[in-house]
Amino acid sequence: MLRRAVEDISTGSDSDYSSTWISWFLSSKGNEYFCEVDEDFILDRFNLTGLNNEVANYAQALDLITDQLDDEVQDELRGSLDVQARLLYGLIHARWIVTARGLAKMVEKYKRGDFGRCPRVLCQSQSLLPVGLIDIPYEKSVKLYCGRCEDLYSPKSSRHGSIDGAYFGTTFPHLLFLVYPTLIPPKTGPPLDGPSSANNNSNANSSEGGSKVRQRRGRGEELLPDATGTESVGEGISTASVALKAERYRPRIYGFQLHETAKLQRWQEATRDRQVGKLEDLEARAS
Amino acid sequence: MARQGEEDNISGGDEVMEEPEEQEDGYTSSTPTSTLTWISWFCSLPGHEYFCEVTEDFIEDDFNLTGLNSMVPFWKEAMEMVLDVEPDEDAAKIPDVSIVESSAEMLYGLVHQRFILGRAGQQAMVDKYESGIFGTCPRVYCVGCNVVPCGRSDMPGIDTVKLFCPNCNDIYVPPSSRFQGVDGAFFGTTFAHLFFQNYRESAPAPFWKPPASGGSSLSPRSSTANRNLPFVNPNPYGGQKRAAGYVYVPRIYGFKVSERAKCGPRMQWLRLRPETAEELDQVDWRGRWIDEDEYEDDEDEQDRQMEDFDPDAGDDDDEEDEEEEEEDDDAGPSQRQHHGQRRSDIPPARAVAHAVRTLPTASRQDGPAAIISLPPATGGKVKLVRQWSARPPELTGAA
């Protein structure tokens, strides 16, 4: 099914050729999640170790990606080669975005909201990150990870829903937040990534909203001395108790909570408190 | 806004009420193929897919409209429009028919909010629910659970319609922007939850046991354990559907991200379910663990349960200032005092007494390091870990 969907995309958009295969690929519809892999990364064969087993017509597909394919080969193999080139590019992409340069490129896309916004209402349009459920191609399509509710969502559009999750890999979003802890979204308040995302409450942004949040999270924790005005989870800040600030939806009938749901939510919150207690305990001992 | 009848002779939507004469007597005998009522036209508009058709006798019953006439301007004209009644001769007073149209939409929406709480409305909505008109939950591990429309407020003009997923008990923004114009009050805060009380077989149960064997833990799956056995929730008033309970575990190169990392998981509780219904009872009505355990609280055993006696227990706010006030009650007084963690060793029996009514100022005379110095700001919140002498054996398994 993935294979077919990929072919469908490829047929429609052959007309608009850009200078290179990669830039054509990136500009074609449905490939908005991908970032550009530096050419020297692709040309370093070490980075491609093992991919020749995954991709049929590996050599030609690689030539196609790097625009070194002979024209006469192109005609006969064209159709299938395009699919293989996409697969190869996707698998290289999965390796690229967990490198320092690749992460930096994806951070830019993340800040622009290229991967969409969290559909959860209480996440307030938090920017998402693509993630795979498995690193093997042709298994599962790409999902979107929200750093605020730490959950996975399916892409809204079927164009994106048919992208292979292996092109992003299971590691990427978590490594990104490991490398860029300042980008870890706050559990409350407007998202970090600026006014573009807060479409409905853009006025309650930066200074006013940020300081309120900061005040709320502040007690007993040292704050980063930066003056950016937005709250972030920086290196110096403890994240042990951030979960306590997360908002949640409480189902109600005529204003009254439902017995069973409320019981489950109390249990969940008690579980949360236990984790918070444990983490704070750990922190107290460490310091 | 132009009203498209199926008949070609109805044209020019702004001159609205030019329907054939049979409309005036409430339509009961009209042929639905030849004319389109305002209600079915309204419900067929793009973006109005979530609405069901309110029956006219519901709208005509004044009792059902109590209080609405103060919320809807041009009440009479709006009623006429909704019910396809020929307007009076003096209708020329109204400056612009589009005003009446928005009033009619408001009127219909608010009546709709009430109608879908009743038996007929719930029936109409369950048909739409089962045919998947409201869509499915975008959350991956809800595995396509159907959702229902839901408002965040019962007053119009506050927020647009959202979608409630009964599996994760959370609300989502509809995937299409055409629903951005639909007021959430037209569905109300109650409907979604009343719906799942009525149709319990569609409501997922609050507990979930992961399938015992097989399968990659990385893949989303509905629980396959005991699929042949019918699922039973011991609570007859609870959800009777097997839940989709898998919770996402972030991994880096195949290794779980530790919760001790700054970027480690903090929100899994939001989606977590206990394995059995009984575990829910371990938390009391104030959200504290009742049945505390004699777990050795080794620092990295995640099963260490902690009870949190917070007399002025707000719901879940400001618990962050409790970190320094924790009192643990360990298995014996000779337990190590670890790392500046103050603990008092209350014998179990007395601990229970404390548990029942813990006062912030309750004196604690026992144990070597019993009295803790409460930070002055907090007004004394105390966290205890307490043990029962008799506790079910299946609660062990931590240490």
PDB file of all heavy atoms in Angstrom, chain A residues 52-70:
ATOM      1  N   ASN A  52      22.585  -0.927   0.490  1.00  0.00           N
ATOM      2  CA  ASN A  52      22.522  -1.639  -0.783  1.00  0.00           C
ATOM      3  C   ASN A  52      21.708  -2.926  -0.671  1.00  0.00           C
ATOM      4  O   ASN A  52      21.215  -3.431  -1.664  1.00  0.00           O
ATOM      5  CB  ASN A  52      23.932  -1.918  -1.315  1.00  0.00           C
ATOM      6  CG  ASN A  52      24.792  -2.593  -0.262  1.00  0.00           C
ATOM      7  OD1 ASN A  52      24.395  -2.650   0.913  1.00  0.00           O
ATOM      8  ND2 ASN A  52      25.933  -3.113  -0.658  1.00  0.00           N
ATOM      9  N   ASN A  53      21.544  -3.419   0.547  1.00  0.00           N
ATOM     10  CA  ASN A  53      20.694  -4.598   0.711  1.00  0.00           C
ATOM     11  C   ASN A  53      19.218  -4.240   0.751  1.00  0.00           C
ATOM     12  O   ASN A  53      18.361  -5.081   0.538  1.00  0.00           O
ATOM     13  CB  ASN A  53      21.059  -5.321   2.008  1.00  0.00           C
ATOM     14  CG  ASN A  53      22.497  -5.765   1.997  1.00  0.00           C
ATOM     15  OD1 ASN A  53      23.029  -6.130   0.954  1.00  0.00           O
ATOM     16  ND2 ASN A  53      23.140  -5.709   3.157  1.00  0.00           N
ATOM     17  N   GLU A  54      18.934  -3.008   1.073  1.00  0.00           N
ATOM     18  CA  GLU A  54      17.539  -2.600   1.222  1.00  0.00           C
ATOM     19  C   GLU A  54      16.939  -2.137  -0.095  1.00  0.00           C
ATOM     20  O   GLU A  54      15.732  -2.204  -0.278  1.00  0.00           O
ATOM     21  CB  GLU A  54      17.433  -1.436   2.220  1.00  0.00           C
ATOM     22  CG  GLU A  54      17.979  -1.723   3.591  1.00  0.00           C
ATOM     23  CD  GLU A  54      16.926  -2.337   4.495  1.00  0.00           C
ATOM     24  OE1 GLU A  54      15.754  -2.375   4.078  1.00  0.00           O
ATOM     25  OE2 GLU A  54      17.292  -2.785   5.588  1.00  0.00           O
ATOM     26  N   VAL A  55      17.773  -1.629  -0.968  1.00  0.00           N
ATOM     27  CA  VAL A  55      17.268  -0.955  -2.158  1.00  0.00           C
ATOM     28  C   VAL A  55      17.676  -1.742  -3.402  1.00  0.00           C
ATOM     29  O   VAL A  55      18.859  -2.015  -3.606  1.00  0.00           O
ATOM     30  CB  VAL A  55      17.831   0.478  -2.235  1.00  0.00           C
ATOM     31  CG1 VAL A  55      17.265   1.204  -3.437  1.00  0.00           C
ATOM     32  CG2 VAL A  55      17.524   1.226  -0.960  1.00  0.00           C
ATOM     33  N   ALA A  56      16.701  -2.104  -4.220  1.00  0.00           N
ATOM     34  CA  ALA A  56      17.019  -2.716  -5.503  1.00  0.00           C
ATOM     35  C   ALA A  56      17.558  -1.643  -6.441  1.00  0.00           C
ATOM     36  O   ALA A  56      17.235  -0.458  -6.297  1.00  0.00           O
ATOM     37  CB  ALA A  56      15.756  -3.352  -6.101  1.00  0.00           C
ATOM     38  N   ASN A  57      18.390  -2.025  -7.370  1.00  0.00           N
ATOM     39  CA  ASN A  57      19.025  -1.071  -8.284  1.00  0.00           C
ATOM     40  C   ASN A  57      19.709   0.051  -7.514  1.00  0.00           C
ATOM     41  O   ASN A  57      19.575   1.234  -7.826  1.00  0.00           O
ATOM     42  CB  ASN A  57      18.007  -0.465  -9.258  1.00  0.00           C
ATOM     43  CG  ASN A  57      17.432  -1.509 -10.173  1.00  0.00           C
ATOM     44  OD1 ASN A  57      18.125  -2.431 -10.580  1.00  0.00           O
ATOM     45  ND2 ASN A  57      16.152  -1.381 -10.469  1.00  0.00           N
ATOM     46  N   TYR A  58      20.405  -0.368  -6.472  1.00  0.00           N
ATOM     47  CA  TYR A  58      20.987   0.590  -5.536  1.00  0.00           C
ATOM     48  C   TYR A  58      21.882   1.598  -6.249  1.00  0.00           C
ATOM     49  O   TYR A  58      21.767   2.812  -6.038  1.00  0.00           O
ATOM     50  CB  TYR A  58      21.772  -0.181  -4.478  1.00  0.00           C
ATOM     51  CG  TYR A  58      22.652   0.653  -3.600  1.00  0.00           C
ATOM     52  CD1 TYR A  58      22.106   1.443  -2.598  1.00  0.00           C
ATOM     53  CD2 TYR A  58      24.034   0.650  -3.760  1.00  0.00           C
ATOM     54  CE1 TYR A  58      22.905   2.206  -1.781  1.00  0.00           C
ATOM     55  CE2 TYR A  58      24.841   1.416  -2.948  1.00  0.00           C
ATOM     56  CZ  TYR A  58      24.275   2.193  -1.961  1.00  0.00           C
ATOM     57  OH  TYR A  58      25.075   2.946  -1.148  1.00  0.00           O
ATOM     58  N   ALA A  59      22.748   1.085  -7.122  1.00  0.00           N
ATOM     59  CA  ALA A  59      23.733   1.972  -7.748  1.00  0.00           C
ATOM     60  C   ALA A  59      23.044   3.036  -8.598  1.00  0.00           C
ATOM     61  O   ALA A  59      23.355   4.229  -8.507  1.00  0.00           O
ATOM     62  CB  ALA A  59      24.697   1.151  -8.594  1.00  0.00           C
ATOM     63  N   GLN A  60      22.059   2.602  -9.405  1.00  0.00           N
ATOM     64  CA  GLN A  60      21.383   3.571 -10.256  1.00  0.00           C
ATOM     65  C   GLN A  60      20.551   4.546  -9.426  1.00  0.00           C
ATOM     66  O   GLN A  60      20.475   5.735  -9.736  1.00  0.00           O
ATOM     67  CB  GLN A  60      20.472   2.877 -11.274  1.00  0.00           C
ATOM     68  CG  GLN A  60      21.226   2.205 -12.396  1.00  0.00           C
ATOM     69  CD  GLN A  60      21.296   0.709 -12.174  1.00  0.00           C
ATOM     70  OE1 GLN A  60      21.458   0.263 -11.032  1.00  0.00           O
ATOM     71  NE2 GLN A  60      21.189  -0.047 -13.253  1.00  0.00           N
ATOM     72  N   ALA A  61      19.915   4.001  -8.385  1.00  0.00           N
ATOM     73  CA  ALA A  61      19.111   4.880  -7.542  1.00  0.00           C
ATOM     74  C   ALA A  61      19.993   5.945  -6.908  1.00  0.00           C
ATOM     75  O   ALA A  61      19.608   7.129  -6.840  1.00  0.00           O
ATOM     76  CB  ALA A  61      18.407   4.066  -6.460  1.00  0.00           C
ATOM     77  N   LEU A  62      21.169   5.539  -6.480  1.00  0.00           N
ATOM     78  CA  LEU A  62      22.088   6.508  -5.888  1.00  0.00           C
ATOM     79  C   LEU A  62      22.526   7.533  -6.926  1.00  0.00           C
ATOM     80  O   LEU A  62      22.606   8.734  -6.638  1.00  0.00           O
ATOM     81  CB  LEU A  62      23.295   5.773  -5.304  1.00  0.00           C
ATOM     82  CG  LEU A  62      24.296   6.629  -4.536  1.00  0.00           C
ATOM     83  CD1 LEU A  62      23.605   7.333  -3.380  1.00  0.00           C
ATOM     84  CD2 LEU A  62      25.428   5.769  -4.017  1.00  0.00           C
ATOM     85  N   ASP A  63      22.769   7.043  -8.143  1.00  0.00           N
ATOM     86  CA  ASP A  63      23.144   7.969  -9.210  1.00  0.00           C
ATOM     87  C   ASP A  63      22.026   8.957  -9.504  1.00  0.00           C
ATOM     88  O   ASP A  63      22.273  10.135  -9.764  1.00  0.00           O
ATOM     89  CB  ASP A  63      23.483   7.190 -10.486  1.00  0.00           C
ATOM     90  CG  ASP A  63      24.839   6.514 -10.382  1.00  0.00           C
ATOM     91  OD1 ASP A  63      25.578   6.859  -9.437  1.00  0.00           O
ATOM     92  OD2 ASP A  63      25.142   5.642 -11.216  1.00  0.00           O
ATOM     93  N   LEU A  64      20.818   8.451  -9.448  1.00  0.00           N
ATOM     94  CA  LEU A  64      19.686   9.337  -9.728  1.00  0.00           C
ATOM     95  C   LEU A  64      19.585  10.427  -8.669  1.00  0.00           C
ATOM     96  O   LEU A  64      19.392  11.606  -8.985  1.00  0.00           O
ATOM     97  CB  LEU A  64      18.394   8.515  -9.784  1.00  0.00           C
ATOM     98  CG  LEU A  64      17.092   9.282 -10.035  1.00  0.00           C
ATOM     99  CD1 LEU A  64      17.171  10.072 -11.322  1.00  0.00           C
ATOM    100  CD2 LEU A  64      15.914   8.340 -10.082  1.00  0.00           C
ATOM    101  N   ILE A  65      19.751  10.030  -7.423  1.00  0.00           N
ATOM    102  CA  ILE A  65      19.655  11.012  -6.345  1.00  0.00           C
ATOM    103  C   ILE A  65      20.722  12.089  -6.496  1.00  0.00           C
ATOM    104  O   ILE A  65      20.472  13.270  -6.266  1.00  0.00           O
ATOM    105  CB  ILE A  65      19.801  10.301  -4.985  1.00  0.00           C
ATOM    106  CG1 ILE A  65      18.549   9.482  -4.698  1.00  0.00           C
ATOM    107  CG2 ILE A  65      20.027  11.293  -3.873  1.00  0.00           C
ATOM    108  CD1 ILE A  65      18.638   8.711  -3.420  1.00  0.00           C
ATOM    109  N   THR A  66      21.902  11.641  -6.896  1.00  0.00           N
ATOM    110  CA  THR A  66      23.004  12.592  -6.991  1.00  0.00           C
ATOM    111  C   THR A  66      23.151  13.161  -8.404  1.00  0.00           C
ATOM    112  O   THR A  66      24.183  13.748  -8.720  1.00  0.00           O
ATOM    113  CB  THR A  66      24.309  11.914  -6.563  1.00  0.00           C
ATOM    114  OG1 THR A  66      24.458  10.696  -7.315  1.00  0.00           O
ATOM    115  CG2 THR A  66      24.275  11.561  -5.096  1.00  0.00           C
ATOM    116  N   ASP A  67      22.151  12.964  -9.223  1.00  0.00           N
ATOM    117  CA  ASP A  67      22.109  13.528 -10.577  1.00  0.00           C
ATOM    118  C   ASP A  67      23.277  13.082 -11.441  1.00  0.00           C
ATOM    119  O   ASP A  67      23.856  13.864 -12.182  1.00  0.00           O
ATOM    120  CB  ASP A  67      22.080  15.066 -10.517  1.00  0.00           C
ATOM    121  CG  ASP A  67      20.922  15.560  -9.699  1.00  0.00           C
ATOM    122  OD1 ASP A  67      19.779  15.284 -10.080  1.00  0.00           O
ATOM    123  OD2 ASP A  67      21.164  16.183  -8.656  1.00  0.00           O
ATOM    124  N   GLN A  68      23.643  11.838 -11.298  1.00  0.00           N
ATOM    125  CA  GLN A  68      24.739  11.357 -12.117  1.00  0.00           C
ATOM    126  C   GLN A  68      24.302  10.216 -13.023  1.00  0.00           C
ATOM    127  O   GLN A  68      25.124   9.463 -13.524  1.00  0.00           O
ATOM    128  CB  GLN A  68      25.896  10.887 -11.223  1.00  0.00           C
ATOM    129  CG  GLN A  68      26.613  12.049 -10.564  1.00  0.00           C
ATOM    130  CD  GLN A  68      27.454  11.622  -9.400  1.00  0.00           C
ATOM    131  OE1 GLN A  68      27.420  10.457  -9.003  1.00  0.00           O
ATOM    132  NE2 GLN A  68      28.200  12.547  -8.848  1.00  0.00           N
ATOM    133  N   LEU A  69      23.003  10.094 -13.193  1.00  0.00           N
ATOM    134  CA  LEU A  69      22.503   8.967 -13.960  1.00  0.00           C
ATOM    135  C   LEU A  69      22.589   9.274 -15.451  1.00  0.00           C
ATOM    136  O   LEU A  69      22.280  10.377 -15.895  1.00  0.00           O
ATOM    137  CB  LEU A  69      21.049   8.702 -13.573  1.00  0.00           C
ATOM    138  CG  LEU A  69      20.460   7.392 -14.035  1.00  0.00           C
ATOM    139  CD1 LEU A  69      21.175   6.228 -13.392  1.00  0.00           C
ATOM    140  CD2 LEU A  69      18.989   7.345 -13.695  1.00  0.00           C
ATOM    141  N   ASP A  70      23.035   8.243 -16.229  1.00  0.00           N
ATOM    142  CA  ASP A  70      23.076   8.420 -17.683  1.00  0.00           C
ATOM    143  C   ASP A  70      21.664   8.544 -18.225  1.00  0.00           C
ATOM    144  O   ASP A  70      20.730   7.914 -17.731  1.00  0.00           O
ATOM    145  CB  ASP A  70      23.750   7.209 -18.340  1.00  0.00           C
ATOM    146  CG  ASP A  70      25.187   7.109 -17.905  1.00  0.00           C
ATOM    147  OD1 ASP A  70      25.749   8.161 -17.524  1.00  0.00           O
ATOM    148  OD2 ASP A  70      25.740   5.992 -17.921  1.00  0.00           O
TER     149      ASP A  70
END
